[in-house]
């Protein structure tokens, strides 16, 4: 049976949670995902209607029941997500109010947010281990983002100090995931201090090239930054351990470009789109990831500014499935060759056989 090294299709359930207060169960989401043709689900860890992070970290019985429920629908858990919690690992005071909804109401100050986020991530390491996972996905948080454009001029040493502090906060978490045998995959995303290749390299250097500091590859964020998202794979494939399959388009005008002029998502030159509706070359991406031996999951993340989410989910599974590559077992032209023969090779080269 032909199989792809890349696993999929899978779907990130965060965008498909109903509003707070509405009834929701994990089983209903699993049934829905399976009916659409998905093979895996990426689970958000901040909504107890579908997943209790504390219980998963402490109870193997709870995790076994969760895995059995997934198996009932022939689904795998691809990774746990702590995007909201990871964001709070580093919060500049200017953003404190904006991120208030990311944590419980009693978590108010920047210091409290960081402490709560650290505790959540340590729980996620244990929960991931109990679930038999090998990757985790998250955000890095940001201390420097308000200085991303160097005006006013950044003081000498500011960037280095910012990454040193970010590394100091993350090192205990990275070590805990290392002890659990799990990679921490940062989604490189504008608004985070880890948002492109160079910022990720700065973080690696500040953490002493920590072996668990890895990448959740999402080409949509690179397209909107006008990066070469294919060459990125050439540079960083050894650290890519997770993959969000998300489309985007960038159509600059005489009025707005990368920064968007404070427009709504619908009116921005750079917009997220449903799979196949944007500009990203997924054929090339899946080819490069296959070439470099990526064996993780291909996970749909849906954030389209136009299309209904249910339509996006329904179209996503067959789109991803079509991209999966079953690697050839032998070269396509091996019929023209033959067994290795040193003497024959010398004759072809015009050399004597002596």
């Amino acid at each position: 049976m032909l199989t792809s090294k890349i696993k999929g299709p899978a779907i990130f359930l965060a965008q498909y949670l109903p509003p707070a207060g509405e009834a929701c169960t994990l089983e209903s989401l699993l049934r829905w995902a399976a009916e659409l043709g998905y093979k895996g689900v990426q689970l958000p860890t901040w909504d107890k209607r579908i997943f209790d992070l504390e219980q998963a970290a402490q109870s193997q019985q709870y995790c076994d029941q969760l895995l059995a429920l997934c198996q009932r629908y022939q689904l795998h858990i691809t990774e746990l997500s702590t995007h909201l919690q990871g964001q709070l690992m580093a919060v500049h005071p200017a953003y404190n109010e904006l991120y208030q909804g990311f944590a419980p109401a009693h978590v108010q100050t920047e210091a409290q947010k960081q402490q709560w986020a650290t505790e959540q991530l340590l729980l996620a390491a244990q929960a991931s281990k109990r679930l038999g996972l090998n990757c985790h996905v998250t955000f890095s948080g940001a201390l420097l983002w308000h200085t991303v454009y160097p005006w006013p001029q950044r003081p000498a040493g500011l960037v280095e100090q910012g990454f040193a502090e970010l590394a100091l906060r993350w090192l205990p978490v990275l070590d805990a995931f290392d002890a659990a045998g799990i990679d921490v995959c940062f989604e490189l995303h504008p608004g985070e201090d880890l948002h492109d290749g160079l910022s990720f390299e700065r973080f690696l250097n500040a953490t002493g090239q920590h072996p668990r500091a890895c990448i959740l590859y999402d080409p949509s964020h690179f397209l909107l930054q006008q990066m070469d998202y294919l060459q990125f794979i050439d540079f960083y494939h050894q650290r890519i351990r997770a993959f969000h399959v998300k489309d985007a388009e960038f159509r600059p005008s005489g009025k707005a470009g990368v920064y968007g002029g404070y427009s709504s998502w619908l009116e921005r030159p750079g917009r997220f789109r449903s799979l196949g509706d944007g500009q990203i070359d997924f054929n090339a991406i899946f080819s490069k990831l296959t070439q470099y031996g990526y064996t993780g999951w291909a996970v749909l993340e849906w954030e389209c500014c136009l299309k209904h989410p249910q339509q996006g989910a329904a179209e996503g599974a067959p789109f991803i499935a079509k991209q999966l590559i079953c690697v050839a077992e032998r070269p396509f032209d091996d019929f023209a060759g033959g067994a290795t023969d040193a003497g024959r090779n010398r004759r072809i080269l015009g050399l004597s056989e002596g």
Side-chain angles (χ1 to χ4, degrees), residues 59-77:
S59 170
Q60 188 61 49
Q61 181 181 7
Y62 175 82
C63 289
D64 289 344
Q65 291 172 346
L66 190 65
L67 292 169
L69 180 61
C70 292
Q71 181 60 39
R72 186 182 308 167
Y73 295 97
Q74 298 184 325
L75 288 165
H76 298 270
I77 299 173

PDB file of all heavy atoms in Angstrom, residues 59-77:
ATOM      1  N   SER A  59      -3.413  12.632  35.064  1.00  0.00           N
ATOM      2  CA  SER A  59      -4.137  11.361  35.036  1.00  0.00           C
ATOM      3  C   SER A  59      -3.897  10.603  33.740  1.00  0.00           C
ATOM      4  O   SER A  59      -4.341  11.030  32.664  1.00  0.00           O
ATOM      5  CB  SER A  59      -5.635  11.606  35.217  1.00  0.00           C
ATOM      6  OG  SER A  59      -6.371  10.422  34.977  1.00  0.00           O
ATOM      7  N   GLN A  60      -3.245   9.453  33.839  1.00  0.00           N
ATOM      8  CA  GLN A  60      -3.082   8.596  32.667  1.00  0.00           C
ATOM      9  C   GLN A  60      -4.418   8.004  32.242  1.00  0.00           C
ATOM     10  O   GLN A  60      -4.657   7.788  31.049  1.00  0.00           O
ATOM     11  CB  GLN A  60      -2.082   7.470  32.962  1.00  0.00           C
ATOM     12  CG  GLN A  60      -1.709   6.651  31.749  1.00  0.00           C
ATOM     13  CD  GLN A  60      -1.048   7.493  30.664  1.00  0.00           C
ATOM     14  OE1 GLN A  60      -0.117   8.257  30.935  1.00  0.00           O
ATOM     15  NE2 GLN A  60      -1.527   7.376  29.427  1.00  0.00           N
ATOM     16  N   GLN A  61      -5.294   7.765  33.208  1.00  0.00           N
ATOM     17  CA  GLN A  61      -6.619   7.231  32.882  1.00  0.00           C
ATOM     18  C   GLN A  61      -7.383   8.208  31.994  1.00  0.00           C
ATOM     19  O   GLN A  61      -8.020   7.802  31.011  1.00  0.00           O
ATOM     20  CB  GLN A  61      -7.404   6.941  34.157  1.00  0.00           C
ATOM     21  CG  GLN A  61      -8.787   6.352  33.893  1.00  0.00           C
ATOM     22  CD  GLN A  61      -9.566   6.093  35.186  1.00  0.00           C
ATOM     23  OE1 GLN A  61      -9.132   6.473  36.270  1.00  0.00           O
ATOM     24  NE2 GLN A  61     -10.704   5.436  35.059  1.00  0.00           N
ATOM     25  N   TYR A  62      -7.339   9.498  32.331  1.00  0.00           N
ATOM     26  CA  TYR A  62      -8.006  10.511  31.516  1.00  0.00           C
ATOM     27  C   TYR A  62      -7.441  10.507  30.094  1.00  0.00           C
ATOM     28  O   TYR A  62      -8.195  10.551  29.105  1.00  0.00           O
ATOM     29  CB  TYR A  62      -7.837  11.891  32.147  1.00  0.00           C
ATOM     30  CG  TYR A  62      -8.388  13.031  31.324  1.00  0.00           C
ATOM     31  CD1 TYR A  62      -9.743  13.353  31.355  1.00  0.00           C
ATOM     32  CD2 TYR A  62      -7.548  13.799  30.516  1.00  0.00           C
ATOM     33  CE1 TYR A  62     -10.250  14.409  30.593  1.00  0.00           C
ATOM     34  CE2 TYR A  62      -8.042  14.852  29.758  1.00  0.00           C
ATOM     35  CZ  TYR A  62      -9.389  15.147  29.802  1.00  0.00           C
ATOM     36  OH  TYR A  62      -9.890  16.186  29.044  1.00  0.00           O
ATOM     37  N   CYS A  63      -6.116  10.448  29.975  1.00  0.00           N
ATOM     38  CA  CYS A  63      -5.487  10.455  28.657  1.00  0.00           C
ATOM     39  C   CYS A  63      -5.839   9.191  27.870  1.00  0.00           C
ATOM     40  O   CYS A  63      -6.084   9.253  26.659  1.00  0.00           O
ATOM     41  CB  CYS A  63      -3.977  10.588  28.803  1.00  0.00           C
ATOM     42  SG  CYS A  63      -3.456  12.237  29.361  1.00  0.00           S
ATOM     43  N   ASP A  64      -5.866   8.051  28.546  1.00  0.00           N
ATOM     44  CA  ASP A  64      -6.222   6.808  27.857  1.00  0.00           C
ATOM     45  C   ASP A  64      -7.657   6.865  27.343  1.00  0.00           C
ATOM     46  O   ASP A  64      -7.960   6.381  26.237  1.00  0.00           O
ATOM     47  CB  ASP A  64      -6.048   5.615  28.801  1.00  0.00           C
ATOM     48  CG  ASP A  64      -4.586   5.312  29.098  1.00  0.00           C
ATOM     49  OD1 ASP A  64      -3.707   5.816  28.354  1.00  0.00           O
ATOM     50  OD2 ASP A  64      -4.312   4.603  30.075  1.00  0.00           O
ATOM     51  N   GLN A  65      -8.555   7.453  28.124  1.00  0.00           N
ATOM     52  CA  GLN A  65      -9.943   7.591  27.682  1.00  0.00           C
ATOM     53  C   GLN A  65     -10.034   8.533  26.485  1.00  0.00           C
ATOM     54  O   GLN A  65     -10.811   8.295  25.548  1.00  0.00           O
ATOM     55  CB  GLN A  65     -10.800   8.111  28.837  1.00  0.00           C
ATOM     56  CG  GLN A  65     -10.985   7.105  29.966  1.00  0.00           C
ATOM     57  CD  GLN A  65     -11.664   7.706  31.185  1.00  0.00           C
ATOM     58  OE1 GLN A  65     -11.781   8.937  31.311  1.00  0.00           O
ATOM     59  NE2 GLN A  65     -12.115   6.855  32.093  1.00  0.00           N
ATOM     60  N   LEU A  66      -9.231   9.579  26.507  1.00  0.00           N
ATOM     61  CA  LEU A  66      -9.202  10.529  25.392  1.00  0.00           C
ATOM     62  C   LEU A  66      -8.700   9.853  24.117  1.00  0.00           C
ATOM     63  O   LEU A  66      -9.281  10.014  23.036  1.00  0.00           O
ATOM     64  CB  LEU A  66      -8.300  11.707  25.759  1.00  0.00           C
ATOM     65  CG  LEU A  66      -8.323  12.923  24.838  1.00  0.00           C
ATOM     66  CD1 LEU A  66      -9.686  13.587  24.877  1.00  0.00           C
ATOM     67  CD2 LEU A  66      -7.244  13.916  25.268  1.00  0.00           C
ATOM     68  N   LEU A  67      -7.636   9.071  24.239  1.00  0.00           N
ATOM     69  CA  LEU A  67      -7.095   8.357  23.085  1.00  0.00           C
ATOM     70  C   LEU A  67      -8.084   7.317  22.548  1.00  0.00           C
ATOM     71  O   LEU A  67      -8.214   7.139  21.330  1.00  0.00           O
ATOM     72  CB  LEU A  67      -5.776   7.688  23.466  1.00  0.00           C
ATOM     73  CG  LEU A  67      -4.606   8.639  23.755  1.00  0.00           C
ATOM     74  CD1 LEU A  67      -3.441   7.885  24.371  1.00  0.00           C
ATOM     75  CD2 LEU A  67      -4.169   9.366  22.484  1.00  0.00           C
ATOM     76  N   ALA A  68      -8.788   6.657  23.461  1.00  0.00           N
ATOM     77  CA  ALA A  68      -9.789   5.675  23.038  1.00  0.00           C
ATOM     78  C   ALA A  68     -10.925   6.350  22.277  1.00  0.00           C
ATOM     79  O   ALA A  68     -11.448   5.802  21.290  1.00  0.00           O
ATOM     80  CB  ALA A  68     -10.325   4.918  24.248  1.00  0.00           C
ATOM     81  N   LEU A  69     -11.320   7.537  22.725  1.00  0.00           N
ATOM     82  CA  LEU A  69     -12.366   8.288  22.035  1.00  0.00           C
ATOM     83  C   LEU A  69     -11.914   8.659  20.628  1.00  0.00           C
ATOM     84  O   LEU A  69     -12.685   8.529  19.657  1.00  0.00           O
ATOM     85  CB  LEU A  69     -12.716   9.546  22.832  1.00  0.00           C
ATOM     86  CG  LEU A  69     -13.807  10.455  22.249  1.00  0.00           C
ATOM     87  CD1 LEU A  69     -15.127   9.712  22.137  1.00  0.00           C
ATOM     88  CD2 LEU A  69     -13.955  11.714  23.098  1.00  0.00           C
ATOM     89  N   CYS A  70     -10.670   9.101  20.488  1.00  0.00           N
ATOM     90  CA  CYS A  70     -10.151   9.423  19.164  1.00  0.00           C
ATOM     91  C   CYS A  70     -10.102   8.177  18.279  1.00  0.00           C
ATOM     92  O   CYS A  70     -10.448   8.226  17.094  1.00  0.00           O
ATOM     93  CB  CYS A  70      -8.757  10.042  19.278  1.00  0.00           C
ATOM     94  SG  CYS A  70      -8.729  11.687  20.029  1.00  0.00           S
ATOM     95  N   GLN A  71      -9.687   7.074  18.862  1.00  0.00           N
ATOM     96  CA  GLN A  71      -9.591   5.826  18.105  1.00  0.00           C
ATOM     97  C   GLN A  71     -10.957   5.380  17.598  1.00  0.00           C
ATOM     98  O   GLN A  71     -11.068   4.796  16.504  1.00  0.00           O
ATOM     99  CB  GLN A  71      -8.962   4.739  18.978  1.00  0.00           C
ATOM    100  CG  GLN A  71      -8.781   3.407  18.280  1.00  0.00           C
ATOM    101  CD  GLN A  71      -7.890   3.502  17.046  1.00  0.00           C
ATOM    102  OE1 GLN A  71      -6.890   4.217  17.052  1.00  0.00           O
ATOM    103  NE2 GLN A  71      -8.256   2.803  15.984  1.00  0.00           N
ATOM    104  N   ARG A  72     -11.992   5.671  18.363  1.00  0.00           N
ATOM    105  CA  ARG A  72     -13.349   5.311  17.945  1.00  0.00           C
ATOM    106  C   ARG A  72     -13.682   5.931  16.600  1.00  0.00           C
ATOM    107  O   ARG A  72     -14.434   5.363  15.801  1.00  0.00           O
ATOM    108  CB  ARG A  72     -14.354   5.766  19.007  1.00  0.00           C
ATOM    109  CG  ARG A  72     -15.781   5.327  18.753  1.00  0.00           C
ATOM    110  CD  ARG A  72     -16.704   5.875  19.821  1.00  0.00           C
ATOM    111  NE  ARG A  72     -16.235   5.568  21.175  1.00  0.00           N
ATOM    112  CZ  ARG A  72     -16.715   6.128  22.286  1.00  0.00           C
ATOM    113  NH1 ARG A  72     -17.695   7.022  22.194  1.00  0.00           N
ATOM    114  NH2 ARG A  72     -16.240   5.795  23.468  1.00  0.00           N
ATOM    115  N   TYR A  73     -13.120   7.119  16.343  1.00  0.00           N
ATOM    116  CA  TYR A  73     -13.372   7.804  15.078  1.00  0.00           C
ATOM    117  C   TYR A  73     -12.165   7.734  14.142  1.00  0.00           C
ATOM    118  O   TYR A  73     -12.091   8.477  13.171  1.00  0.00           O
ATOM    119  CB  TYR A  73     -13.765   9.258  15.360  1.00  0.00           C
ATOM    120  CG  TYR A  73     -15.077   9.358  16.091  1.00  0.00           C
ATOM    121  CD1 TYR A  73     -15.112   9.495  17.481  1.00  0.00           C
ATOM    122  CD2 TYR A  73     -16.286   9.253  15.408  1.00  0.00           C
ATOM    123  CE1 TYR A  73     -16.325   9.542  18.166  1.00  0.00           C
ATOM    124  CE2 TYR A  73     -17.496   9.305  16.080  1.00  0.00           C
ATOM    125  CZ  TYR A  73     -17.505   9.446  17.456  1.00  0.00           C
ATOM    126  OH  TYR A  73     -18.710   9.489  18.130  1.00  0.00           O
ATOM    127  N   GLN A  74     -11.240   6.818  14.465  1.00  0.00           N
ATOM    128  CA  GLN A  74     -10.040   6.600  13.654  1.00  0.00           C
ATOM    129  C   GLN A  74      -9.259   7.898  13.445  1.00  0.00           C
ATOM    130  O   GLN A  74      -8.810   8.215  12.332  1.00  0.00           O
ATOM    131  CB  GLN A  74     -10.396   5.955  12.319  1.00  0.00           C
ATOM    132  CG  GLN A  74     -11.034   4.572  12.475  1.00  0.00           C
ATOM    133  CD  GLN A  74     -11.311   3.886  11.150  1.00  0.00           C
ATOM    134  OE1 GLN A  74     -11.653   4.526  10.161  1.00  0.00           O
ATOM    135  NE2 GLN A  74     -11.154   2.572  11.127  1.00  0.00           N
ATOM    136  N   LEU A  75      -9.112   8.656  14.526  1.00  0.00           N
ATOM    137  CA  LEU A  75      -8.382   9.915  14.507  1.00  0.00           C
ATOM    138  C   LEU A  75      -7.194   9.861  15.461  1.00  0.00           C
ATOM    139  O   LEU A  75      -7.237   9.180  16.493  1.00  0.00           O
ATOM    140  CB  LEU A  75      -9.296  11.075  14.908  1.00  0.00           C
ATOM    141  CG  LEU A  75     -10.352  11.488  13.884  1.00  0.00           C
ATOM    142  CD1 LEU A  75     -11.398  12.371  14.542  1.00  0.00           C
ATOM    143  CD2 LEU A  75      -9.709  12.216  12.707  1.00  0.00           C
ATOM    144  N   HIS A  76      -6.151  10.593  15.114  1.00  0.00           N
ATOM    145  CA  HIS A  76      -4.978  10.748  15.965  1.00  0.00           C
ATOM    146  C   HIS A  76      -4.940  12.172  16.516  1.00  0.00           C
ATOM    147  O   HIS A  76      -5.393  13.113  15.855  1.00  0.00           O
ATOM    148  CB  HIS A  76      -3.697  10.493  15.179  1.00  0.00           C
ATOM    149  CG  HIS A  76      -3.583   9.112  14.623  1.00  0.00           C
ATOM    150  ND1 HIS A  76      -3.009   8.069  15.317  1.00  0.00           N
ATOM    151  CD2 HIS A  76      -3.973   8.599  13.427  1.00  0.00           C
ATOM    152  CE1 HIS A  76      -3.037   6.977  14.588  1.00  0.00           C
ATOM    153  NE2 HIS A  76      -3.632   7.262  13.438  1.00  0.00           N
ATOM    154  N   ILE A  77      -4.389  12.342  17.705  1.00  0.00           N
ATOM    155  CA  ILE A  77      -4.049  13.671  18.194  1.00  0.00           C
ATOM    156  C   ILE A  77      -2.680  14.007  17.620  1.00  0.00           C
ATOM    157  O   ILE A  77      -1.705  13.287  17.862  1.00  0.00           O
ATOM    158  CB  ILE A  77      -4.024  13.728  19.735  1.00  0.00           C
ATOM    159  CG1 ILE A  77      -5.399  13.382  20.297  1.00  0.00           C
ATOM    160  CG2 ILE A  77      -3.592  15.115  20.206  1.00  0.00           C
ATOM    161  CD1 ILE A  77      -5.423  13.259  21.810  1.00  0.00           C
TER     162      ILE A  77
END
